[in-house]
Amino acid sequence: MNALLQASEASLYLPVRARIAEVRPLTRLEKLYRIELPDGMSLQHQPGQFVEVSVFGVGEAPISISSSPSRSNGTFELCVRRAGDVTSALHGLQPGDTIGLRGPLGHGFPVQRFHGKDLLFAPGGLGLAPLRSLIQQVLDDRRNFGKVTILYGARHPSELLFTEELQAWSALPDVEVHLTVDRPDETWKGNVGVITTLFSRTSLYARNTVAVTVGPPVMYRFVLMELLGKGIPEANIWLSLERRMKCGVGKCGHCQMNHLYACLDGPAFCYDQIRHLEEAL
Ligand SMILES: Cc1cc2nc3c(=O)[nH]c(=O)nc-3n(C[C@H](O)[C@H](O)[C@H](O)COP(=O)(O)OP(=O)(O)OC[C@H]3O[C@@H](n4cnc5c(N)ncnc54)[C@H](O)[C@@H]3O)c2cc1C
Ligand code: FES
């Protein structure tokens, strides 16, 4: 059992109080929060897992853990887009304020199964938030992985997340980063078009490549067609499926897709696990 669930062992639904240590604006809609758990507790998460964040008196929302376990150092990060009640209330909080947390919840990406593989990451928009955790983990354990390619797209240059980090990653040996936007502005010198237009910019040894994609549901069909067309085996394609969630622990059924619960069996899934499910993609 992980540290937070242990701390709230009276109930799966009881949040632990945590402190906001730092808030950093990333874009017009997204802020990055560094969160500190009580008594030096460690979150002990896997990349791809999420937490249920509560703002007291407002409500609770599932948010992916955006930093890797390898960089935990007693804190972890959440990248939060202002969308509705909970996330807007969270955007109003300051360092030193208290939130509630349940988790880490769900299944993340099985990082050890990726050892020895080339990795292709294809996040779209806010999808870079959960994938950043996995990318950091891989880059902190570099000798266990082959070439790393990151293809990242957003609607507008001002909506690209973690731009400084993307630049730093692109300068690392054996790491390729390609960016694209749908609607350029006058400063944009890069690729224009949806994320699939980036695939021609990189070469892959498909049979030894693991691909991980996280983004809006509309993106998956096209990215999957591209990955399968390149010959990447179905068992080497991973994605994160986000559904409306309430309990986050497999009890309420809100996130059910056929016989699977996105909160419990996922949100990280292998493509060959979900491709036949009518309600998955
Ligand atoms: C596993 C998981 C991980 C997530 N990780 C992040 C993250 O890292 N950062 C982040 O900012 N957000 C993340 N989200 C999305 C976030 O939980 C929702 O936006 C949440 O509803 C915000 O709560 P709210 O009260 O602010 O907005 P609400 O009032 O609940 O909703 C605001 C708007 O978003 C819509 N909406 C709510 N949930 C979803 C959903 N799952 N998919 C599509 N539309 C939805 C609502 O219909 C409404 O239009 C994640 C969701 C899941 C399921
Ligand atoms: S959110 Fe309740 S079962 Fe998944």
Side-chain angles (χ1 to χ4, degrees):
M1 189 181 279
N2 67 57
L4 278 199
L5 287 179
Q6 245 166 14
S8 61
E9 63 191 7
S11 165
L12 287 172
Y13 307 108
L14 196 63
V16 164
R17 294 172 84 87
R19 181 179 162 273
I20 297 176
E22 191 183 342
V23 184
R24 188 151 61 88
L26 293 180
T27 68
R28 190 174 61 84
L29 286 180
E30 280 98 6
K31 287 184 179 177
L32 187 69
Y33 293 79
R34 195 157 56 78
I35 309 293
E36 206 172 70
L37 294 171
D39 308 323
M41 212 188 265
S42 145
L43 189 61
Q44 297 172 21
H45 67 287
Q46 288 295 312
Q49 284 189 298
F50 65 100
V51 284
E52 285 283 350
V53 177
S54 36
V55 179
F56 298 114
V58 182
E60 203 177 35
I63 302 291
S64 307
I65 301 153
S66 191
S67 53
S68 83
S70 54
R71 300 189 186 185
S72 80
N73 197 20
T75 62
F76 63 94
E77 290 174 329
L78 304 174
C79 172
V80 180
R81 172 176 292 174
R82 183 160 37 84
D85 291 349
V86 175
T87 49
S88 298
L90 203 50
H91 271 230
L93 298 183
Q94 308 294 331
D97 286 341
T98 301
I99 55 171
L101 282 179
R102 293 191 292 125
L105 300 174
H107 277 89
F109 298 105
V111 187
Q112 293 200 343
R113 274 175 59 182
F114 303 166
H115 281 181
K117 303 287 189 188
D118 292 340
L119 293 171
L120 171 69
F121 298 110
L126 188 55
L128 183 56
L131 263 195
R132 175 177 178 253
S133 172
L134 179 58
I135 295 170
Q136 288 182 343
Q137 179 85 0
V138 164
L139 295 179
D140 288 347
D141 185 19
R142 196 65 193 89
R143 68 198 164 86
N144 275 322
F145 304 92
K147 178 182 159 193
V148 170
T149 305
I150 300 166
L151 310 179
Y152 177 42
R155 280 177 305 188
H156 188 263
S158 63
E159 295 178 19
L160 288 164
L161 295 168
F162 304 111
T163 45
E164 285 172 17
E165 214 164 338
L166 284 161
Q167 204 173 359
W169 292 339
S170 70
L172 296 173
D174 228 10
V175 178
E176 263 182 47
V177 178
H178 300 281
L179 305 180
T180 189
V181 297
D182 298 346
R183 290 182 290 110
D185 60 13
E186 58 290 350
T187 65
W188 183 252
K189 305 271 188 299
N191 191 73
V192 176
V194 292
I195 191 170
T196 46
T197 60
L198 291 177
F199 278 83
S200 60
R201 298 193 166 218
T202 183
S203 61
L204 302 172
Y205 174 35
R207 300 219 71 77
N208 194 48
T209 298
V210 165
V212 191
T213 178
V214 186
V218 64
M219 189 187 99
Y220 282 140
R221 191 148 55 94
F222 301 103
V223 170
L224 286 166
M225 263 166 39
E226 203 67 45
L227 297 173
L228 294 167
K230 295 252 179 235
I232 298 181
E234 289 177 358
N236 284 6
I237 299 176
W238 288 80
L239 62 170
S240 181
L241 294 181
E242 293 182 3
R243 289 292 184 276
R244 306 282 165 100
M245 291 184 186
K246 287 287 176 199
C247 69
V249 289
K251 305 287 185 197
C252 72
H254 270 82
C255 68
Q256 191 167 1
M257 306 172 296
N258 300 85
H259 64 287
L260 297 177
Y261 292 109
C263 68
L264 200 61
D265 303 300
F269 289 98
C270 183
Y271 177 60
D272 71 357
Q273 190 186 0
I274 48 111
R275 75 191 170 100
H276 294 302
L277 299 185
E278 268 171 41
E279 295 169 27
L281 292 168

PDB file of all heavy atoms in Angstrom, residues 40 42 135 161 213:
ATOM      1  N   GLY A  40       7.361  14.626   5.851  1.00  0.00           N
ATOM      2  CA  GLY A  40       8.382  14.098   4.931  1.00  0.00           C
ATOM      3  C   GLY A  40       7.920  12.869   4.174  1.00  0.00           C
ATOM      4  O   GLY A  40       8.730  12.110   3.626  1.00  0.00           O
ATOM      5  N   SER A  42       6.565  10.377   1.312  1.00  0.00           N
ATOM      6  CA  SER A  42       6.847  10.387  -0.127  1.00  0.00           C
ATOM      7  C   SER A  42       5.647   9.797  -0.863  1.00  0.00           C
ATOM      8  O   SER A  42       4.983   8.883  -0.364  1.00  0.00           O
ATOM      9  CB  SER A  42       8.121   9.570  -0.362  1.00  0.00           C
ATOM     10  OG  SER A  42       8.037   8.891  -1.575  1.00  0.00           O
ATOM     11  N   ILE A 135       8.896  10.920 -19.135  1.00  0.00           N
ATOM     12  CA  ILE A 135      10.088  11.392 -19.866  1.00  0.00           C
ATOM     13  C   ILE A 135      11.218  11.686 -18.871  1.00  0.00           C
ATOM     14  O   ILE A 135      12.365  11.274 -19.074  1.00  0.00           O
ATOM     15  CB  ILE A 135       9.746  12.637 -20.722  1.00  0.00           C
ATOM     16  CG1 ILE A 135       8.758  12.268 -21.828  1.00  0.00           C
ATOM     17  CG2 ILE A 135      11.019  13.243 -21.321  1.00  0.00           C
ATOM     18  CD1 ILE A 135       8.151  13.457 -22.583  1.00  0.00           C
ATOM     19  N   LEU A 161       3.401  23.687 -23.442  1.00  0.00           N
ATOM     20  CA  LEU A 161       3.786  23.589 -22.027  1.00  0.00           C
ATOM     21  C   LEU A 161       5.273  23.245 -21.907  1.00  0.00           C
ATOM     22  O   LEU A 161       5.839  22.609 -22.801  1.00  0.00           O
ATOM     23  CB  LEU A 161       2.973  22.495 -21.342  1.00  0.00           C
ATOM     24  CG  LEU A 161       1.474  22.745 -21.257  1.00  0.00           C
ATOM     25  CD1 LEU A 161       0.755  21.465 -20.835  1.00  0.00           C
ATOM     26  CD2 LEU A 161       1.191  23.866 -20.265  1.00  0.00           C
ATOM     27  N   THR A 213       1.496   7.715 -26.188  1.00  0.00           N
ATOM     28  CA  THR A 213       0.788   8.923 -26.612  1.00  0.00           C
ATOM     29  C   THR A 213      -0.266   9.300 -25.579  1.00  0.00           C
ATOM     30  O   THR A 213      -0.970   8.434 -25.055  1.00  0.00           O
ATOM     31  CB  THR A 213       0.186   8.725 -28.030  1.00  0.00           C
ATOM     32  OG1 THR A 213      -0.533   9.905 -28.378  1.00  0.00           O
ATOM     33  CG2 THR A 213      -0.741   7.515 -28.129  1.00  0.00           C
TER      34      THR A 213
END
